[in-house]
Coordinates of all heavy atoms in Angstrom, one line a residue:
G1 N 0.8 -1.2 0.0 CA 0.0 0.0 0.0 C 0.8 1.3 0.0 O 0.5 2.2 -0.7
Q2 N 1.9 1.3 0.8 CA 2.8 2.4 0.8 C 3.5 2.6 -0.5 O 3.7 3.7 -1.0 CB 3.8 2.3 1.9 CG 4.6 3.5 2.2 CD 5.6 3.4 3.3 OE1 5.5 2.5 4.1 NE2 6.5 4.4 3.5
A3 N 3.9 1.5 -1.1 CA 4.6 1.6 -2.4 C 3.7 2.2 -3.5 O 4.1 3.1 -4.3 CB 5.1 0.2 -2.9
V4 N 2.4 1.7 -3.5 CA 1.4 2.3 -4.4 C 1.2 3.8 -4.2 O 1.2 4.6 -5.1 CB 0.1 1.5 -4.3 CG1 -1.0 2.2 -5.2 CG2 0.3 0.1 -4.8
T5 N 1.0 4.1 -2.9 CA 0.8 5.6 -2.6 C 2.0 6.4 -3.1 O 1.8 7.5 -3.6 CB 0.6 5.7 -1.1 OG1 -0.5 5.0 -0.7 CG2 0.4 7.2 -0.7
L6 N 3.2 6.0 -2.8 CA 4.4 6.8 -3.2 C 4.4 7.0 -4.7 O 4.6 8.1 -5.2 CB 5.6 6.0 -2.8 CG 6.0 6.1 -1.3 CD1 7.1 5.1 -1.0 CD2 6.6 7.5 -1.0
L7 N 4.2 5.9 -5.5 CA 4.4 6.0 -6.9 C 3.2 6.8 -7.6 O 3.4 7.5 -8.5 CB 4.5 4.6 -7.5 CG 5.7 3.8 -7.1 CD1 5.8 2.4 -7.7 CD2 7.0 4.6 -7.4
R8 N 2.0 6.5 -7.0 CA 0.8 7.3 -7.5 C 1.1 8.8 -7.3 O 0.8 9.6 -8.1 CB -0.4 6.9 -6.8 CG -1.0 5.6 -7.3 CD -2.3 5.2 -6.5 NE -3.3 6.2 -6.8 CZ -4.5 5.9 -7.5 NH1 -4.7 4.7 -7.9 NH2 -5.4 6.9 -7.6
S9 N 1.6 9.2 -6.1 CA 1.8 10.6 -5.8 C 2.9 11.2 -6.7 O 2.8 12.3 -7.2 CB 2.3 10.7 -4.4 OG 2.6 12.0 -4.1
L10 N 3.9 10.3 -7.0 CA 5.0 10.8 -7.9 C 4.4 11.1 -9.3 O 4.7 12.2 -9.9 CB 6.0 9.7 -8.0 CG 7.2 10.0 -9.0 CD1 8.1 11.0 -8.4 CD2 8.0 8.7 -9.3
V11 N 3.6 10.2 -9.9 CA 3.1 10.4 -11.2 C 2.1 11.5 -11.3 O 2.1 12.4 -12.1 CB 2.5 9.1 -11.7 CG1 1.8 9.3 -13.1 CG2 3.5 8.0 -11.9
S12 N 1.2 11.5 -10.3 CA 0.1 12.6 -10.3 C 0.8 14.0 -10.1 O 0.3 15.0 -10.7 CB -0.9 12.3 -9.2 OG -0.3 12.4 -7.9
R13 N 1.8 14.1 -9.3 CA 2.4 15.4 -9.0 C 3.1 15.9 -10.2 O 3.1 17.2 -10.5 CB 3.3 15.2 -7.9 CG 4.0 16.5 -7.4 CD 4.7 16.3 -6.1 NE 5.3 17.6 -5.6 CZ 5.9 17.7 -4.5 NH1 6.1 16.6 -3.7 NH2 6.4 18.9 -4.1
Y14 N 3.8 15.1 -11.0 CA 4.7 15.6 -12.0 C 4.2 15.4 -13.5 O 4.8 15.8 -14.4 CB 6.1 15.0 -11.9 CG 6.7 15.4 -10.6 CD1 6.9 14.6 -9.5 CD2 7.2 16.8 -10.4 CE1 7.4 14.9 -8.3 CE2 7.8 17.2 -9.2 CZ 7.9 16.3 -8.2 OH 8.4 16.6 -7.0
S15 N 3.0 14.8 -13.6 CA 2.4 14.6 -14.9 C 1.3 15.6 -15.2 O 0.8 15.7 -16.3 CB 1.9 13.2 -15.1 OG 0.8 13.0 -14.2
S16 N 0.8 16.3 -14.2 CA -0.3 17.2 -14.3 C 0.1 18.6 -14.8 O 1.3 19.0 -14.6 CB -1.0 17.4 -13.0 OG -0.2 18.1 -12.1
D17 N -0.8 19.3 -15.5 CA -0.5 20.6 -16.0 C -0.2 21.6 -14.9 O 0.4 22.6 -15.1 CB -1.7 21.1 -16.9 CG -1.7 20.4 -18.2 OD1 -0.7 19.8 -18.6 OD2 -2.8 20.4 -18.8
G18 N -0.7 21.3 -13.7 CA -0.5 22.2 -12.5 C 1.0 22.4 -12.2 O 1.3 23.4 -11.6
I19 N 1.8 21.4 -12.6 CA 3.2 21.6 -12.3 C 3.9 22.7 -13.1 O 4.9 23.2 -12.8 CB 4.0 20.2 -12.5 CG1 5.3 20.2 -11.7 CG2 4.2 20.0 -14.0 CD1 5.0 20.1 -10.2
L20 N 3.2 23.1 -14.2 CA 3.7 24.2 -15.0 C 3.9 25.5 -14.2 O 4.7 26.3 -14.5 CB 2.8 24.4 -16.2 CG 2.9 23.4 -17.3 CD1 1.8 23.6 -18.3 CD2 4.3 23.5 -18.1
A21 N 3.0 25.6 -13.2 CA 3.1 26.9 -12.4 C 4.5 27.0 -11.7 O 4.9 28.1 -11.3 CB 2.0 26.8 -11.3
R22 N 5.1 25.9 -11.5 CA 6.5 25.9 -10.9 C 7.6 25.8 -11.9 O 8.7 25.6 -11.6 CB 6.6 24.7 -10.0 CG 5.7 24.7 -8.8 CD 5.7 23.4 -8.0 NE 7.1 23.1 -7.6 CZ 7.4 21.9 -7.1 NH1 6.5 20.9 -6.9 NH2 8.7 21.6 -6.7
G23 N 7.2 26.0 -13.2 CA 8.2 26.1 -14.2 C 8.7 24.7 -14.6 O 9.8 24.6 -15.2
I24 N 7.9 23.7 -14.4 CA 8.3 22.3 -14.7 C 7.4 21.7 -15.7 O 6.1 21.8 -15.5 CB 8.3 21.4 -13.4 CG1 9.3 22.0 -12.4 CG2 8.6 20.0 -13.8 CD1 9.3 21.2 -11.1
K25 N 7.9 21.2 -16.8 CA 7.1 20.6 -17.8 C 6.5 19.3 -17.3 O 7.2 18.5 -16.7 CB 8.0 20.3 -19.0 CG 7.3 19.8 -20.3 CD 8.3 19.6 -21.4 CE 7.7 19.0 -22.6 NZ 8.6 18.9 -23.8
P26 N 5.2 19.1 -17.6 CA 4.6 17.8 -17.2 C 5.3 16.6 -17.8 O 5.7 16.6 -19.0 CB 3.2 17.9 -17.7 CG 2.9 19.4 -17.8 CD 4.2 20.0 -18.2
K27 N 5.4 15.5 -17.0 CA 6.2 14.4 -17.5 C 5.4 13.2 -17.8 O 4.2 13.0 -17.3 CB 7.2 13.9 -16.3 CG 7.9 15.0 -15.6 CD 8.8 15.8 -16.5 CE 9.5 16.9 -15.7 NZ 10.0 18.0 -16.6
R28 N 5.9 12.3 -18.7 CA 5.4 11.0 -18.9 C 6.4 10.0 -18.1 O 7.6 10.3 -17.9 CB 5.4 10.6 -20.4 CG 4.6 11.6 -21.2 CD 4.5 11.2 -22.6 NE 5.9 11.1 -23.2 CZ 6.5 12.0 -23.9 NH1 5.8 13.2 -24.0 NH2 7.7 11.9 -24.4
F29 N 5.9 8.9 -17.8 CA 6.7 7.9 -17.0 C 6.7 6.5 -17.6 O 5.6 6.1 -18.1 CB 6.1 7.8 -15.5 CG 6.3 9.0 -14.7 CD1 5.5 10.1 -14.8 CD2 7.4 9.1 -13.8 CE1 5.7 11.3 -14.0 CE2 7.6 10.2 -13.1 CZ 6.7 11.3 -13.2
I30 N 7.8 5.9 -17.6 CA 8.0 4.5 -18.0 C 8.6 3.8 -16.8 O 9.7 4.2 -16.4 CB 8.8 4.3 -19.2 CG1 8.1 5.0 -20.5 CG2 9.0 2.8 -19.5 CD1 8.9 4.9 -21.8
F31 N 8.0 2.8 -16.3 CA 8.5 2.1 -15.1 C 9.0 0.7 -15.6 O 8.4 0.1 -16.5 CB 7.4 1.8 -14.1 CG 7.1 3.1 -13.3 CD1 6.0 3.9 -13.6 CD2 7.8 3.4 -12.2 CE1 5.7 5.0 -12.9 CE2 7.5 4.6 -11.4 CZ 6.5 5.4 -11.8
T32 N 10.1 0.3 -15.0 CA 10.6 -1.1 -15.1 C 10.9 -1.6 -13.8 O 11.1 -0.9 -12.8 CB 11.8 -1.2 -16.1 OG1 12.9 -0.7 -15.4 CG2 11.6 -0.5 -17.4
V33 N 11.0 -2.9 -13.6 CA 11.5 -3.6 -12.4 C 12.8 -4.2 -12.8 O 12.9 -5.0 -13.9 CB 10.5 -4.6 -11.9 CG1 11.2 -5.5 -10.8 CG2 9.3 -3.9 -11.3
S34 N 13.8 -4.0 -12.1 CA 15.2 -4.4 -12.5 C 15.3 -5.9 -12.6 O 14.8 -6.7 -11.8 CB 16.2 -4.0 -11.4 OG 17.5 -4.6 -11.6
P35 N 15.9 -6.4 -13.7 CA 16.1 -7.9 -13.8 C 17.2 -8.4 -13.0 O 17.5 -9.6 -13.0 CB 16.5 -8.0 -15.3 CG 17.1 -6.6 -15.6 CD 16.4 -5.6 -14.8
I36 N 17.9 -7.6 -12.2 CA 18.9 -8.0 -11.2 C 18.3 -8.6 -10.0 O 17.4 -8.0 -9.4 CB 19.8 -6.8 -10.9 CG1 20.5 -6.3 -12.1 CG2 20.9 -7.3 -9.8 CD1 21.2 -5.0 -11.9
R37 N 18.6 -9.9 -9.7 CA 18.0 -10.5 -8.5 C 18.8 -10.2 -7.3 O 20.0 -10.1 -7.3 CB 18.1 -12.1 -8.8 CG 17.2 -12.5 -9.9 CD 17.3 -14.0 -10.1 NE 18.6 -14.4 -10.5 CZ 19.0 -15.7 -10.5 NH1 18.3 -16.6 -10.1 NH2 20.3 -16.0 -10.9

């Protein structure tokens, strides 16, 4: 649950147009899980 909350907050915070007010371009995200065991 905490991992989901963290990542959801990350994407919502930096992908929205609202971030433009801080001079930051909205982002797209690509996630991977490392193949290193």
Side-chain angles (χ1 to χ4, degrees):
Q2 187 178 350
V4 172
T5 299
L6 282 166
L7 298 179
R8 282 180 65 112
S9 176
L10 178 72
V11 174
S12 64
R13 183 172 184 177
Y14 297 106
S15 64
S16 67
D17 289 338
I19 203 70
L20 285 169
R22 295 173 53 191
I24 299 176
K25 184 177 182 179
K27 316 298 177 198
R28 304 183 301 268
F29 289 83
I30 297 176
F31 286 95
T32 70
V33 169
S34 172
I36 298 165
R37 294 179 295 164

